[in-house]
Amino acid sequence: MKPLLALARLIDALTERIGRVVIWLVLVATLVSAGNALARYTLGESSNAWLEIQWYLFGAMFLLAAGYTLKHNGHVRIDILYNRLGPRGQAWTDLIGGLVFLLPMAVLLTWLSWPMFQEAWVTHELSPDAGGLLRWPVKLLLPVGFGLLALQGVAEVIKRLGVLSGHLVLPREAPEEEV
């Protein structure tokens, strides 16, 4: 169990680093949005590329932070029953949910989105909008984001197995908005 828990710690550290970087994308997106609005209303200039950069940044924030959100217990779930369970009951619920729902979904979406990225890469797909951007960077976010979510899902499954085997005690972490 110790090697698996060490692997979970490594995945957690990677997820934490990625999440801390992604947080800065909020500032970048805000600055791009403000700069685009300022240019449009003061100079009468605008570009579809600036709008698409905003969309790409939003996609990056959402997809790349999914694993970080999972690690910090920030995903939506029905807490009516979950909060009434003890640590072992919660560990069983998380373990079953991770193995039956989260991991199959994340792996499937990673696998299904990879060909979309590859096609965009090979064909140098461009946005159909005038002045639009290449599409492969945003399409790469799909398999990378779901892959990172699956990786963090593996860490969460390992940690729940650690709880159930008595090798780990998880702190009761409240979702971010409740802290």
Side-chain angles (χ1 to χ4, degrees):
M1 190 79 221
K2 286 184 181 184
L4 287 176
L5 290 171
L7 175 62
R9 283 191 299 275
L10 282 173
I11 294 169
D12 281 349
L14 174 67
T15 297
E16 193 67 30
R17 283 193 180 114
I18 291 169
R20 296 293 175 189
V21 169
V22 170
I23 287 170
W24 287 98
L25 293 181
V26 176
L27 175 63
V28 174
T30 302
L31 293 174
V32 167
S33 178
N36 189 31
L38 188 63
R40 184 177 41 218
Y41 291 116
T42 60
L43 305 174
E45 296 290 326
S46 185
S47 166
N48 285 331
W50 288 105
L51 291 173
E52 288 186 13
I53 289 171
Q54 289 173 243
W55 300 335
Y56 286 19
L57 289 169
F58 177 75
M61 286 183 272
F62 178 80
L63 288 163
L64 299 178
Y68 179 83
T69 304
L70 177 63
K71 179 183 178 291
H72 288 280
N73 197 24
H75 283 284
V76 174
R77 70 169 164 237
I78 300 174
D79 287 337
I80 296 169
L81 299 175
Y82 184 85
N83 284 337
R84 293 182 183 174
L85 299 173
R88 288 185 61 79
Q90 289 179 348
W92 273 110
T93 302
D94 290 341
L95 178 64
I96 292 168
L99 290 173
V100 174
F101 298 110
L102 174 66
L103 286 175
M105 178 275 309
V107 170
L108 180 65
L109 289 173
T110 302
W111 182 67
L112 291 174
S113 62
W114 184 255
M116 291 186 339
F117 157 70
Q118 282 183 311
E119 184 179 343
W121 172 267
V122 169
T123 64
H124 302 288
E125 181 182 351
L126 289 171
S127 167
D129 297 325
L133 302 175
L134 283 169
R135 285 286 167 99
W136 71 261
V138 76
K139 289 188 176 185
L140 178 60
L141 291 171
L142 290 165
V144 170
F146 285 114
L148 290 170
L149 179 61
L151 193 60
Q152 186 60 40
V154 168
E156 297 302 317
V157 164
I158 291 170
K159 289 187 282 188
R160 293 332 177 264
L161 288 171
V163 168
L164 292 171
S165 67
H167 290 91
L168 182 66
V169 176
L170 290 177
R172 297 205 33 127
E173 183 176 316
E176 292 290 329
E177 69 271 359
E178 294 178 18
V179 174

